[in-house]
């Protein structure tokens, strides 16, 4: 069930996604030196369950976070 989320910036390229005050995911921009880096989709939505969704833009990652 989708609901209101809050996104808090932790550092440059790192954000925490909260839903009703509980941590549900992180949004992170990957860098070329990381394993699994994809230049076309550098933004990752890391769910608390372990699932990782790759997105082309930060805005796309936020849109996906609203669906959690």
């Amino acid at each position: 069930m989708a609901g209101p989320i809050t996104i808090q910036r932790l550092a440059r390229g790192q954000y925490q996604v909260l839903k009703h005050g509980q941590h549900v995911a992180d949004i992170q921009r990957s860098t070329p030196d990381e394993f699994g880096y994809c230049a076309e989709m550098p933004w990752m939505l890391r769910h608390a369950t372990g699932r990782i969704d790759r997105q082309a833009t930060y805005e796309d990652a936020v849109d996906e976070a609203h669906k959690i």
Side-chain angles (χ1 to χ4, degrees):
M1 177 167 88
I5 66 163
T6 303
I7 298 177
Q8 296 177 339
R9 182 176 187 219
L10 303 175
R12 186 174 188 217
Q14 296 181 349
Y15 303 84
Q16 179 174 300
V17 181
L18 304 171
K19 182 174 182 179
H20 301 293
Q22 294 186 349
H23 178 260
V24 294
D26 293 305
I27 296 174
Q28 181 179 2
R29 183 179 180 103
S30 60
T31 59
D33 59 330
E34 292 177 357
F35 179 75
Y37 173 74
C38 178
E40 292 81 23
M41 296 186 157
W43 287 94
M44 296 182 290
L45 176 62
R46 296 173 170 249
H47 299 258
T49 60
R51 176 180 161 177
I52 298 175
D53 296 328
R54 293 197 169 270
Q55 305 297 326
T57 66
Y58 169 76
E59 290 79 14
D60 290 342
V62 170
D63 288 344
E64 287 299 313
H66 280 282
K67 298 176 184 176
I68 296 175

